[in-house]
Amino acid sequence: MIKIRDTQNFIYNRKLVVDLIKKSNIDKNDIIIEIGPGKGIITNELAVRVKRIYGIEYDVHLYEELKSRFLNVENVEIIYGDFLEFNLLEKYKYKVFSNIPYNITAKILLKLTSFSNPPEDIYIIIQEEAARKYAGNPYNRESMRSLLLKPYFEFKIIHRFRKTDFTPVPKVNSVFLHIKKRKNILIDENSSDLYNNFIAYIFSSSGNNLKEKTKNIFSFKQLKRLSQDIGFQITDSPVNLSFEKWLKIFQYFITGVSTDKQKLIYNAYAKLLNEQSKIDKRNRNFKY
Ligand SMILES: C[S@@+](CC[C@H](N)C(=O)[O-])C[C@H]1O[C@@H](n2cnc3c(N)ncnc32)[C@H](O)[C@@H]1O
């Protein structure tokens, strides 16, 4: 059973925080959301470098301490509560800078990246394995998550930590991940639902390779042709193809496949989110 204490691996070196901020593009015009300020080591350094910070802390004792520490700091607002329940900013551009609680990584990133006004930049300290999954190629093979997000965001690991940079020392490795909102998204806005459905369909349909997974949406002839034109094997696993190749396959799906076949994928993304939330409910063991 996960307790809030288990989410608390604090940074204790002020110089490390300053270095991380220097590696970011954050400046005095920025509005920052910090998830879990903890004892305020990041908040304190951000406060003198940015326009405004909203720090959302779910540990009531830490919240009380933060509240009194930043009482007279005008550009810092400390809010008590669960970040997952917090309303993101609808009208302003903002960035996220946080050493996140690792147990809710997927929920934090789903919330931030699916919001109608997502952050311009997300700088997070995150478990290395999760960062590699989200960033996909060149750090790892692509994943469903990396492929779903890459039309809208770019990923870069900009620092690797030592485990001893945190106290208590965590069991897992951590990195500093930059997720940057693209200025120009890589798929037509009208096709974004179809793209989500397409990727979700490929990853949730039965079979291990492209030939098996696409058998209801592409004819053998179509897939063979695509594999020659784009450069892949029909026996490849979906994770072995780069995002750029998946974009090309998707473009063909929009233009070269009949509407009847396109309809087969229509609910795939909603179904996936629904199944994910059922799993989350079964695993709801995060007690405070
Ligand atoms: C990894 S610690 C980082 C603390 C501090 N920022 C630092 O770097 O030393 C994660 C912080 O998130 C807080 N936290 C855990 N779950 C949270 C949630 N759902 N919403 C907001 N804060 C949460 C924890 O209490 C803790 O302070």
Side-chain angles (χ1 to χ4, degrees), residues 4 7-11 34 36-38 41-42 56-59 62 81-83 99-101 104:
I4 198 158
T7 72
Q8 296 171 339
N9 296 96
F10 298 104
I11 297 189
E34 187 188 357
I41 186 161
I42 296 176
I56 302 104
E57 177 54 62
Y58 205 5
D59 179 317
L62 291 175
D82 179 357
F83 168 72
N99 177 11
I100 60 171
I104 51 169

mmCIF file with all atom_site columns, all heavy atoms in Angstrom, residues 4 7-11 34 36-38 41-42 56-59 62 81-83 99-101 104, ligand 1:
data_model
loop_
_atom_site.group_PDB
_atom_site.id
_atom_site.type_symbol
_atom_site.label_atom_id
_atom_site.label_alt_id
_atom_site.label_comp_id
_atom_site.label_asym_id
_atom_site.label_entity_id
_atom_site.label_seq_id
_atom_site.pdbx_PDB_ins_code
_atom_site.Cartn_x
_atom_site.Cartn_y
_atom_site.Cartn_z
_atom_site.occupancy
_atom_site.B_iso_or_equiv
_atom_site.pdbx_formal_charge
_atom_site.auth_seq_id
_atom_site.auth_comp_id
_atom_site.auth_asym_id
_atom_site.auth_atom_id
_atom_site.pdbx_PDB_model_num
ATOM   1   N N   . ILE A 1 4   ? 1.641  8.538  1.383   1.00 0.00 ? 4   ILE A N   1
ATOM   2   C CA  . ILE A 1 4   ? 2.198  9.764  0.792   1.00 0.00 ? 4   ILE A CA  1
ATOM   3   C C   . ILE A 1 4   ? 3.700  9.876  1.063   1.00 0.00 ? 4   ILE A C   1
ATOM   4   O O   . ILE A 1 4   ? 4.455  10.367 0.233   1.00 0.00 ? 4   ILE A O   1
ATOM   5   C CB  . ILE A 1 4   ? 1.421  11.027 1.233   1.00 0.00 ? 4   ILE A CB  1
ATOM   6   C CG1 . ILE A 1 4   ? 1.760  12.169 0.262   1.00 0.00 ? 4   ILE A CG1 1
ATOM   7   C CG2 . ILE A 1 4   ? 1.720  11.405 2.681   1.00 0.00 ? 4   ILE A CG2 1
ATOM   8   C CD1 . ILE A 1 4   ? 0.764  13.264 0.193   1.00 0.00 ? 4   ILE A CD1 1
ATOM   9   N N   . THR A 1 7   ? 6.038  8.844  -1.619  1.00 0.00 ? 7   THR A N   1
ATOM   10  C CA  . THR A 1 7   ? 6.175  9.680  -2.824  1.00 0.00 ? 7   THR A CA  1
ATOM   11  C C   . THR A 1 7   ? 7.204  10.787 -2.590  1.00 0.00 ? 7   THR A C   1
ATOM   12  O O   . THR A 1 7   ? 7.407  11.631 -3.431  1.00 0.00 ? 7   THR A O   1
ATOM   13  C CB  . THR A 1 7   ? 4.836  10.351 -3.191  1.00 0.00 ? 7   THR A CB  1
ATOM   14  O OG1 . THR A 1 7   ? 4.553  11.388 -2.231  1.00 0.00 ? 7   THR A OG1 1
ATOM   15  C CG2 . THR A 1 7   ? 3.687  9.371  -3.211  1.00 0.00 ? 7   THR A CG2 1
ATOM   16  N N   . GLN A 1 8   ? 7.818  10.775 -1.394  1.00 0.00 ? 8   GLN A N   1
ATOM   17  C CA  . GLN A 1 8   ? 8.631  11.931 -0.995  1.00 0.00 ? 8   GLN A CA  1
ATOM   18  C C   . GLN A 1 8   ? 10.126 11.627 -1.013  1.00 0.00 ? 8   GLN A C   1
ATOM   19  O O   . GLN A 1 8   ? 10.686 11.221 -0.003  1.00 0.00 ? 8   GLN A O   1
ATOM   20  C CB  . GLN A 1 8   ? 8.180  12.419 0.384   1.00 0.00 ? 8   GLN A CB  1
ATOM   21  C CG  . GLN A 1 8   ? 6.747  12.933 0.345   1.00 0.00 ? 8   GLN A CG  1
ATOM   22  C CD  . GLN A 1 8   ? 6.174  13.232 1.714   1.00 0.00 ? 8   GLN A CD  1
ATOM   23  O OE1 . GLN A 1 8   ? 6.667  12.726 2.720   1.00 0.00 ? 8   GLN A OE1 1
ATOM   24  N NE2 . GLN A 1 8   ? 5.119  14.025 1.749   1.00 0.00 ? 8   GLN A NE2 1
ATOM   25  N N   . ASN A 1 9   ? 10.742 11.790 -2.170  1.00 0.00 ? 9   ASN A N   1
ATOM   26  C CA  . ASN A 1 9   ? 12.203 11.720 -2.266  1.00 0.00 ? 9   ASN A CA  1
ATOM   27  C C   . ASN A 1 9   ? 12.668 13.142 -2.535  1.00 0.00 ? 9   ASN A C   1
ATOM   28  O O   . ASN A 1 9   ? 12.545 13.643 -3.653  1.00 0.00 ? 9   ASN A O   1
ATOM   29  C CB  . ASN A 1 9   ? 12.630 10.769 -3.395  1.00 0.00 ? 9   ASN A CB  1
ATOM   30  C CG  . ASN A 1 9   ? 12.188 9.350  -3.100  1.00 0.00 ? 9   ASN A CG  1
ATOM   31  O OD1 . ASN A 1 9   ? 11.136 8.912  -3.574  1.00 0.00 ? 9   ASN A OD1 1
ATOM   32  N ND2 . ASN A 1 9   ? 12.958 8.645  -2.296  1.00 0.00 ? 9   ASN A ND2 1
ATOM   33  N N   . PHE A 1 10  ? 13.164 13.777 -1.483  1.00 0.00 ? 10  PHE A N   1
ATOM   34  C CA  . PHE A 1 10  ? 13.444 15.213 -1.559  1.00 0.00 ? 10  PHE A CA  1
ATOM   35  C C   . PHE A 1 10  ? 14.816 15.491 -2.156  1.00 0.00 ? 10  PHE A C   1
ATOM   36  O O   . PHE A 1 10  ? 15.771 14.748 -1.927  1.00 0.00 ? 10  PHE A O   1
ATOM   37  C CB  . PHE A 1 10  ? 13.384 15.835 -0.162  1.00 0.00 ? 10  PHE A CB  1
ATOM   38  C CG  . PHE A 1 10  ? 12.036 15.719 0.475   1.00 0.00 ? 10  PHE A CG  1
ATOM   39  C CD1 . PHE A 1 10  ? 11.801 14.788 1.481   1.00 0.00 ? 10  PHE A CD1 1
ATOM   40  C CD2 . PHE A 1 10  ? 10.986 16.538 0.070   1.00 0.00 ? 10  PHE A CD2 1
ATOM   41  C CE1 . PHE A 1 10  ? 10.549 14.671 2.070   1.00 0.00 ? 10  PHE A CE1 1
ATOM   42  C CE2 . PHE A 1 10  ? 9.729  16.430 0.652   1.00 0.00 ? 10  PHE A CE2 1
ATOM   43  C CZ  . PHE A 1 10  ? 9.515  15.497 1.659   1.00 0.00 ? 10  PHE A CZ  1
ATOM   44  N N   . ILE A 1 11  ? 14.919 16.594 -2.881  1.00 0.00 ? 11  ILE A N   1
ATOM   45  C CA  . ILE A 1 11  ? 16.212 17.120 -3.297  1.00 0.00 ? 11  ILE A CA  1
ATOM   46  C C   . ILE A 1 11  ? 16.719 17.956 -2.129  1.00 0.00 ? 11  ILE A C   1
ATOM   47  O O   . ILE A 1 11  ? 15.927 18.655 -1.483  1.00 0.00 ? 11  ILE A O   1
ATOM   48  C CB  . ILE A 1 11  ? 16.068 18.030 -4.539  1.00 0.00 ? 11  ILE A CB  1
ATOM   49  C CG1 . ILE A 1 11  ? 15.541 17.224 -5.719  1.00 0.00 ? 11  ILE A CG1 1
ATOM   50  C CG2 . ILE A 1 11  ? 17.393 18.680 -4.899  1.00 0.00 ? 11  ILE A CG2 1
ATOM   51  C CD1 . ILE A 1 11  ? 15.565 17.977 -7.012  1.00 0.00 ? 11  ILE A CD1 1
ATOM   52  N N   . GLU A 1 34  ? 4.031  24.154 -9.859  1.00 0.00 ? 34  GLU A N   1
ATOM   53  C CA  . GLU A 1 34  ? 4.919  23.146 -9.274  1.00 0.00 ? 34  GLU A CA  1
ATOM   54  C C   . GLU A 1 34  ? 4.060  22.109 -8.555  1.00 0.00 ? 34  GLU A C   1
ATOM   55  O O   . GLU A 1 34  ? 3.299  22.433 -7.638  1.00 0.00 ? 34  GLU A O   1
ATOM   56  C CB  . GLU A 1 34  ? 5.919  23.778 -8.289  1.00 0.00 ? 34  GLU A CB  1
ATOM   57  C CG  . GLU A 1 34  ? 6.931  22.728 -7.829  1.00 0.00 ? 34  GLU A CG  1
ATOM   58  C CD  . GLU A 1 34  ? 7.868  23.187 -6.709  1.00 0.00 ? 34  GLU A CD  1
ATOM   59  O OE1 . GLU A 1 34  ? 7.804  24.354 -6.287  1.00 0.00 ? 34  GLU A OE1 1
ATOM   60  O OE2 . GLU A 1 34  ? 8.655  22.332 -6.255  1.00 0.00 ? 34  GLU A OE2 1
ATOM   61  N N   . GLY A 1 36  ? 3.724  19.338 -5.970  1.00 0.00 ? 36  GLY A N   1
ATOM   62  C CA  . GLY A 1 36  ? 4.430  18.827 -4.796  1.00 0.00 ? 36  GLY A CA  1
ATOM   63  C C   . GLY A 1 36  ? 5.697  19.593 -4.447  1.00 0.00 ? 36  GLY A C   1
ATOM   64  O O   . GLY A 1 36  ? 6.795  19.058 -4.581  1.00 0.00 ? 36  GLY A O   1
ATOM   65  N N   . PRO A 1 37  ? 5.581  20.843 -3.970  1.00 0.00 ? 37  PRO A N   1
ATOM   66  C CA  . PRO A 1 37  ? 6.793  21.608 -3.599  1.00 0.00 ? 37  PRO A CA  1
ATOM   67  C C   . PRO A 1 37  ? 7.566  20.988 -2.435  1.00 0.00 ? 37  PRO A C   1
ATOM   68  O O   . PRO A 1 37  ? 8.742  21.316 -2.243  1.00 0.00 ? 37  PRO A O   1
ATOM   69  C CB  . PRO A 1 37  ? 6.242  22.985 -3.189  1.00 0.00 ? 37  PRO A CB  1
ATOM   70  C CG  . PRO A 1 37  ? 4.841  23.029 -3.669  1.00 0.00 ? 37  PRO A CG  1
ATOM   71  C CD  . PRO A 1 37  ? 4.349  21.626 -3.788  1.00 0.00 ? 37  PRO A CD  1
ATOM   72  N N   . GLY A 1 38  ? 6.926  20.123 -1.649  1.00 0.00 ? 38  GLY A N   1
ATOM   73  C CA  . GLY A 1 38  ? 7.625  19.436 -0.553  1.00 0.00 ? 38  GLY A CA  1
ATOM   74  C C   . GLY A 1 38  ? 8.113  20.409 0.492   1.00 0.00 ? 38  GLY A C   1
ATOM   75  O O   . GLY A 1 38  ? 7.317  21.081 1.158   1.00 0.00 ? 38  GLY A O   1
ATOM   76  N N   . ILE A 1 41  ? 12.419 23.534 -1.754  1.00 0.00 ? 41  ILE A N   1
ATOM   77  C CA  . ILE A 1 41  ? 13.769 23.828 -2.276  1.00 0.00 ? 41  ILE A CA  1
ATOM   78  C C   . ILE A 1 41  ? 13.718 24.332 -3.725  1.00 0.00 ? 41  ILE A C   1
ATOM   79  O O   . ILE A 1 41  ? 14.447 25.261 -4.092  1.00 0.00 ? 41  ILE A O   1
ATOM   80  C CB  . ILE A 1 41  ? 14.719 22.615 -2.108  1.00 0.00 ? 41  ILE A CB  1
ATOM   81  C CG1 . ILE A 1 41  ? 16.141 23.000 -2.516  1.00 0.00 ? 41  ILE A CG1 1
ATOM   82  C CG2 . ILE A 1 41  ? 14.253 21.377 -2.878  1.00 0.00 ? 41  ILE A CG2 1
ATOM   83  C CD1 . ILE A 1 41  ? 17.224 22.085 -1.984  1.00 0.00 ? 41  ILE A CD1 1
ATOM   84  N N   . ILE A 1 42  ? 12.828 23.752 -4.533  1.00 0.00 ? 42  ILE A N   1
ATOM   85  C CA  . ILE A 1 42  ? 12.699 24.219 -5.931  1.00 0.00 ? 42  ILE A CA  1
ATOM   86  C C   . ILE A 1 42  ? 11.936 25.549 -5.948  1.00 0.00 ? 42  ILE A C   1
ATOM   87  O O   . ILE A 1 42  ? 12.329 26.507 -6.623  1.00 0.00 ? 42  ILE A O   1
ATOM   88  C CB  . ILE A 1 42  ? 11.978 23.152 -6.798  1.00 0.00 ? 42  ILE A CB  1
ATOM   89  C CG1 . ILE A 1 42  ? 12.813 21.861 -6.871  1.00 0.00 ? 42  ILE A CG1 1
ATOM   90  C CG2 . ILE A 1 42  ? 11.702 23.690 -8.198  1.00 0.00 ? 42  ILE A CG2 1
ATOM   91  C CD1 . ILE A 1 42  ? 12.150 20.710 -7.624  1.00 0.00 ? 42  ILE A CD1 1
ATOM   92  N N   . ILE A 1 56  ? 1.260  23.154 -5.594  1.00 0.00 ? 56  ILE A N   1
ATOM   93  C CA  . ILE A 1 56  ? 0.142  22.347 -5.057  1.00 0.00 ? 56  ILE A CA  1
ATOM   94  C C   . ILE A 1 56  ? 0.716  21.189 -4.262  1.00 0.00 ? 56  ILE A C   1
ATOM   95  O O   . ILE A 1 56  ? 1.387  20.316 -4.827  1.00 0.00 ? 56  ILE A O   1
ATOM   96  C CB  . ILE A 1 56  ? -0.763 21.806 -6.193  1.00 0.00 ? 56  ILE A CB  1
ATOM   97  C CG1 . ILE A 1 56  ? -1.309 22.966 -7.003  1.00 0.00 ? 56  ILE A CG1 1
ATOM   98  C CG2 . ILE A 1 56  ? -1.930 20.989 -5.637  1.00 0.00 ? 56  ILE A CG2 1
ATOM   99  C CD1 . ILE A 1 56  ? -0.633 23.151 -8.311  1.00 0.00 ? 56  ILE A CD1 1
ATOM   100 N N   . GLU A 1 57  ? 0.466  21.183 -2.947  1.00 0.00 ? 57  GLU A N   1
ATOM   101 C CA  . GLU A 1 57  ? 1.059  20.168 -2.060  1.00 0.00 ? 57  GLU A CA  1
ATOM   102 C C   . GLU A 1 57  ? -0.062 19.402 -1.341  1.00 0.00 ? 57  GLU A C   1
ATOM   103 O O   . GLU A 1 57  ? -0.974 20.011 -0.789  1.00 0.00 ? 57  GLU A O   1
ATOM   104 C CB  . GLU A 1 57  ? 2.004  20.842 -1.055  1.00 0.00 ? 57  GLU A CB  1
ATOM   105 C CG  . GLU A 1 57  ? 2.626  19.919 -0.036  1.00 0.00 ? 57  GLU A CG  1
ATOM   106 C CD  . GLU A 1 57  ? 3.350  18.710 -0.634  1.00 0.00 ? 57  GLU A CD  1
ATOM   107 O OE1 . GLU A 1 57  ? 4.325  18.893 -1.365  1.00 0.00 ? 57  GLU A OE1 1
ATOM   108 O OE2 . GLU A 1 57  ? 2.904  17.562 -0.366  1.00 0.00 ? 57  GLU A OE2 1
ATOM   109 N N   . TYR A 1 58  ? 0.060  18.063 -1.343  1.00 0.00 ? 58  TYR A N   1
ATOM   110 C CA  . TYR A 1 58  ? -1.006 17.216 -0.794  1.00 0.00 ? 58  TYR A CA  1
ATOM   111 C C   . TYR A 1 58  ? -0.696 16.705 0.612   1.00 0.00 ? 58  TYR A C   1
ATOM   112 O O   . TYR A 1 58  ? -1.525 16.067 1.241   1.00 0.00 ? 58  TYR A O   1
ATOM   113 C CB  . TYR A 1 58  ? -1.234 16.038 -1.744  1.00 0.00 ? 58  TYR A CB  1
ATOM   114 C CG  . TYR A 1 58  ? -2.605 15.415 -1.684  1.00 0.00 ? 58  TYR A CG  1
ATOM   115 C CD1 . TYR A 1 58  ? -3.625 15.948 -0.897  1.00 0.00 ? 58  TYR A CD1 1
ATOM   116 C CD2 . TYR A 1 58  ? -2.893 14.285 -2.441  1.00 0.00 ? 58  TYR A CD2 1
ATOM   117 C CE1 . TYR A 1 58  ? -4.876 15.375 -0.867  1.00 0.00 ? 58  TYR A CE1 1
ATOM   118 C CE2 . TYR A 1 58  ? -4.138 13.704 -2.412  1.00 0.00 ? 58  TYR A CE2 1
ATOM   119 C CZ  . TYR A 1 58  ? -5.131 14.260 -1.622  1.00 0.00 ? 58  TYR A CZ  1
ATOM   120 O OH  . TYR A 1 58  ? -6.366 13.681 -1.599  1.00 0.00 ? 58  TYR A OH  1
ATOM   121 N N   . ASP A 1 59  ? 0.512  16.954 1.080   1.00 0.00 ? 59  ASP A N   1
ATOM   122 C CA  . ASP A 1 59  ? 0.847  16.540 2.447   1.00 0.00 ? 59  ASP A CA  1
ATOM   123 C C   . ASP A 1 59  ? 0.555  17.727 3.361   1.00 0.00 ? 59  ASP A C   1
ATOM   124 O O   . ASP A 1 59  ? 1.188  18.781 3.249   1.00 0.00 ? 59  ASP A O   1
ATOM   125 C CB  . ASP A 1 59  ? 2.332  16.147 2.507   1.00 0.00 ? 59  ASP A CB  1
ATOM   126 C CG  . ASP A 1 59  ? 2.770  15.730 3.900   1.00 0.00 ? 59  ASP A CG  1
ATOM   127 O OD1 . ASP A 1 59  ? 2.379  16.412 4.884   1.00 0.00 ? 59  ASP A OD1 1
ATOM   128 O OD2 . ASP A 1 59  ? 3.514  14.750 4.002   1.00 0.00 ? 59  ASP A OD2 1
ATOM   129 N N   . LEU A 1 62  ? 3.507  19.381 5.269   1.00 0.00 ? 62  LEU A N   1
ATOM   130 C CA  . LEU A 1 62  ? 4.395  20.142 4.378   1.00 0.00 ? 62  LEU A CA  1
ATOM   131 C C   . LEU A 1 62  ? 3.677  21.413 3.902   1.00 0.00 ? 62  LEU A C   1
ATOM   132 O O   . LEU A 1 62  ? 4.279  22.481 3.809   1.00 0.00 ? 62  LEU A O   1
ATOM   133 C CB  . LEU A 1 62  ? 4.825  19.292 3.184   1.00 0.00 ? 62  LEU A CB  1
ATOM   134 C CG  . LEU A 1 62  ? 5.761  18.124 3.503   1.00 0.00 ? 62  LEU A CG  1
ATOM   135 C CD1 . LEU A 1 62  ? 6.017  17.281 2.256   1.00 0.00 ? 62  LEU A CD1 1
ATOM   136 C CD2 . LEU A 1 62  ? 7.098  18.657 4.032   1.00 0.00 ? 62  LEU A CD2 1
ATOM   137 N N   . GLY A 1 81  ? -3.820 20.396 -1.628  1.00 0.00 ? 81  GLY A N   1
ATOM   138 C CA  . GLY A 1 81  ? -4.706 19.468 -2.335  1.00 0.00 ? 81  GLY A CA  1
ATOM   139 C C   . GLY A 1 81  ? -3.966 18.538 -3.271  1.00 0.00 ? 81  GLY A C   1
ATOM   140 O O   . GLY A 1 81  ? -2.734 18.551 -3.359  1.00 0.00 ? 81  GLY A O   1
ATOM   141 N N   . ASP A 1 82  ? -4.786 17.720 -3.935  1.00 0.00 ? 82  ASP A N   1
ATOM   142 C CA  . ASP A 1 82  ? -4.299 16.729 -4.887  1.00 0.00 ? 82  ASP A CA  1
ATOM   143 C C   . ASP A 1 82  ? -4.156 17.416 -6.246  1.00 0.00 ? 82  ASP A C   1
ATOM   144 O O   . ASP A 1 82  ? -5.146 17.937 -6.777  1.00 0.00 ? 82  ASP A O   1
ATOM   145 C CB  . ASP A 1 82  ? -5.334 15.597 -4.956  1.00 0.00 ? 82  ASP A CB  1
ATOM   146 C CG  . ASP A 1 82  ? -4.950 14.516 -5.944  1.00 0.00 ? 82  ASP A CG  1
ATOM   147 O OD1 . ASP A 1 82  ? -3.911 14.653 -6.622  1.00 0.00 ? 82  ASP A OD1 1
ATOM   148 O OD2 . ASP A 1 82  ? -5.713 13.539 -6.047  1.00 0.00 ? 82  ASP A OD2 1
ATOM   149 N N   . PHE A 1 83  ? -2.966 17.382 -6.809  1.00 0.00 ? 83  PHE A N   1
ATOM   150 C CA  . PHE A 1 83  ? -2.765 18.025 -8.111  1.00 0.00 ? 83  PHE A CA  1
ATOM   151 C C   . PHE A 1 83  ? -3.768 17.499 -9.149  1.00 0.00 ? 83  PHE A C   1
ATOM   152 O O   . PHE A 1 83  ? -4.207 18.252 -10.032 1.00 0.00 ? 83  PHE A O   1
ATOM   153 C CB  . PHE A 1 83  ? -1.332 17.788 -8.618  1.00 0.00 ? 83  PHE A CB  1
ATOM   154 C CG  . PHE A 1 83  ? -1.171 18.175 -10.053 1.00 0.00 ? 83  PHE A CG  1
ATOM   155 C CD1 . PHE A 1 83  ? -1.156 19.510 -10.418 1.00 0.00 ? 83  PHE A CD1 1
ATOM   156 C CD2 . PHE A 1 83  ? -1.099 17.210 -11.052 1.00 0.00 ? 83  PHE A CD2 1
ATOM   157 C CE1 . PHE A 1 83  ? -1.067 19.888 -11.755 1.00 0.00 ? 83  PHE A CE1 1
ATOM   158 C CE2 . PHE A 1 83  ? -1.004 17.576 -12.387 1.00 0.00 ? 83  PHE A CE2 1
ATOM   159 C CZ  . PHE A 1 83  ? -0.982 18.919 -12.743 1.00 0.00 ? 83  PHE A CZ  1
ATOM   160 N N   . ASN A 1 99  ? 9.500  18.062 -9.246  1.00 0.00 ? 99  ASN A N   1
ATOM   161 C CA  . ASN A 1 99  ? 10.004 16.739 -8.886  1.00 0.00 ? 99  ASN A CA  1
ATOM   162 C C   . ASN A 1 99  ? 8.746  15.954 -8.511  1.00 0.00 ? 99  ASN A C   1
ATOM   163 O O   . ASN A 1 99  ? 8.259  16.056 -7.386  1.00 0.00 ? 99  ASN A O   1
ATOM   164 C CB  . ASN A 1 99  ? 10.979 16.877 -7.706  1.00 0.00 ? 99  ASN A CB  1
ATOM   165 C CG  . ASN A 1 99  ? 11.508 15.553 -7.216  1.00 0.00 ? 99  ASN A CG  1
ATOM   166 O OD1 . ASN A 1 99  ? 11.323 14.520 -7.853  1.00 0.00 ? 99  ASN A OD1 1
ATOM   167 N ND2 . ASN A 1 99  ? 12.175 15.583 -6.063  1.00 0.00 ? 99  ASN A ND2 1
ATOM   168 N N   . ILE A 1 100 ? 8.178  15.226 -9.469  1.00 0.00 ? 100 ILE A N   1
ATOM   169 C CA  . ILE A 1 100 ? 6.807  14.709 -9.303  1.00 0.00 ? 100 ILE A CA  1
ATOM   170 C C   . ILE A 1 100 ? 6.752  13.475 -8.385  1.00 0.00 ? 100 ILE A C   1
ATOM   171 O O   . ILE A 1 100 ? 7.733  12.743 -8.265  1.00 0.00 ? 100 ILE A O   1
ATOM   172 C CB  . ILE A 1 100 ? 6.155  14.345 -10.675 1.00 0.00 ? 100 ILE A CB  1
ATOM   173 C CG1 . ILE A 1 100 ? 6.964  13.256 -11.405 1.00 0.00 ? 100 ILE A CG1 1
ATOM   174 C CG2 . ILE A 1 100 ? 5.956  15.565 -11.533 1.00 0.00 ? 100 ILE A CG2 1
ATOM   175 C CD1 . ILE A 1 100 ? 6.260  12.701 -12.634 1.00 0.00 ? 100 ILE A CD1 1
ATOM   176 N N   . PRO A 1 101 ? 5.567  13.250 -7.783  1.00 0.00 ? 101 PRO A N   1
ATOM   177 C CA  . PRO A 1 101 ? 5.361  11.979 -7.077  1.00 0.00 ? 101 PRO A CA  1
ATOM   178 C C   . PRO A 1 101 ? 5.253  10.859 -8.129  1.00 0.00 ? 101 PRO A C   1
ATOM   179 O O   . PRO A 1 101 ? 4.336  10.875 -8.956  1.00 0.00 ? 101 PRO A O   1
ATOM   180 C CB  . PRO A 1 101 ? 4.028  12.187 -6.339  1.00 0.00 ? 101 PRO A CB  1
ATOM   181 C CG  . PRO A 1 101 ? 3.395  13.404 -6.914  1.00 0.00 ? 101 PRO A CG  1
ATOM   182 C CD  . PRO A 1 101 ? 4.401  14.167 -7.683  1.00 0.00 ? 101 PRO A CD  1
ATOM   183 N N   . ILE A 1 104 ? 2.052  8.647  -9.440  1.00 0.00 ? 104 ILE A N   1
ATOM   184 C CA  . ILE A 1 104 ? 0.949  9.126  -10.289 1.00 0.00 ? 104 ILE A CA  1
ATOM   185 C C   . ILE A 1 104 ? 1.479  9.767  -11.589 1.00 0.00 ? 104 ILE A C   1
ATOM   186 O O   . ILE A 1 104 ? 0.832  10.633 -12.178 1.00 0.00 ? 104 ILE A O   1
ATOM   187 C CB  . ILE A 1 104 ? -0.013 10.089 -9.531  1.00 0.00 ? 104 ILE A CB  1
ATOM   188 C CG1 . ILE A 1 104 ? 0.760  11.230 -8.830  1.00 0.00 ? 104 ILE A CG1 1
ATOM   189 C CG2 . ILE A 1 104 ? -0.877 9.345  -8.553  1.00 0.00 ? 104 ILE A CG2 1
ATOM   190 C CD1 . ILE A 1 104 ? -0.158 12.348 -8.298  1.00 0.00 ? 104 ILE A CD1 1
HETATM 191 C C1  . LIG B 2 .   ? 9.298  13.668 -5.013  1.00 0.00 ? 1   LIG B C1  1
HETATM 192 S S1  . LIG B 2 .   ? 8.645  14.748 -3.797  1.00 0.00 ? 1   LIG B S1  1
HETATM 193 C C2  . LIG B 2 .   ? 9.336  16.290 -4.280  1.00 0.00 ? 1   LIG B C2  1
HETATM 194 C C3  . LIG B 2 .   ? 9.411  17.298 -3.174  1.00 0.00 ? 1   LIG B C3  1
HETATM 195 C C4  . LIG B 2 .   ? 10.189 18.574 -3.497  1.00 0.00 ? 1   LIG B C4  1
HETATM 196 N N1  . LIG B 2 .   ? 9.639  19.261 -4.649  1.00 0.00 ? 1   LIG B N1  1
HETATM 197 C C5  . LIG B 2 .   ? 11.643 18.268 -3.747  1.00 0.00 ? 1   LIG B C5  1
HETATM 198 O O1  . LIG B 2 .   ? 12.044 18.220 -4.907  1.00 0.00 ? 1   LIG B O1  1
HETATM 199 O O2  . LIG B 2 .   ? 12.361 18.055 -2.781  1.00 0.00 ? 1   LIG B O2  1
HETATM 200 C C6  . LIG B 2 .   ? 6.934  14.812 -4.319  1.00 0.00 ? 1   LIG B C6  1
HETATM 201 C C7  . LIG B 2 .   ? 6.085  15.790 -3.567  1.00 0.00 ? 1   LIG B C7  1
HETATM 202 O O3  . LIG B 2 .   ? 4.742  15.686 -4.063  1.00 0.00 ? 1   LIG B O3  1
HETATM 203 C C8  . LIG B 2 .   ? 3.817  15.651 -2.979  1.00 0.00 ? 1   LIG B C8  1
HETATM 204 N N2  . LIG B 2 .   ? 2.620  14.930 -3.501  1.00 0.00 ? 1   LIG B N2  1
HETATM 205 C C9  . LIG B 2 .   ? 2.364  13.593 -3.527  1.00 0.00 ? 1   LIG B C9  1
HETATM 206 N N3  . LIG B 2 .   ? 1.201  13.352 -4.137  1.00 0.00 ? 1   LIG B N3  1
HETATM 207 C C10 . LIG B 2 .   ? 0.690  14.555 -4.504  1.00 0.00 ? 1   LIG B C10 1
HETATM 208 C C11 . LIG B 2 .   ? -0.497 14.963 -5.185  1.00 0.00 ? 1   LIG B C11 1
HETATM 209 N N4  . LIG B 2 .   ? -1.403 14.071 -5.597  1.00 0.00 ? 1   LIG B N4  1
HETATM 210 N N5  . LIG B 2 .   ? -0.704 16.287 -5.394  1.00 0.00 ? 1   LIG B N5  1
HETATM 211 C C12 . LIG B 2 .   ? 0.214  17.213 -4.977  1.00 0.00 ? 1   LIG B C12 1
HETATM 212 N N6  . LIG B 2 .   ? 1.354  16.873 -4.341  1.00 0.00 ? 1   LIG B N6  1
HETATM 213 C C13 . LIG B 2 .   ? 1.593  15.572 -4.102  1.00 0.00 ? 1   LIG B C13 1
HETATM 214 C C14 . LIG B 2 .   ? 4.569  14.958 -1.868  1.00 0.00 ? 1   LIG B C14 1
HETATM 215 O O4  . LIG B 2 .   ? 4.023  15.251 -0.601  1.00 0.00 ? 1   LIG B O4  1
HETATM 216 C C15 . LIG B 2 .   ? 5.974  15.535 -2.063  1.00 0.00 ? 1   LIG B C15 1
HETATM 217 O O5  . LIG B 2 .   ? 6.104  16.751 -1.382  1.00 0.00 ? 1   LIG B O5  1
#
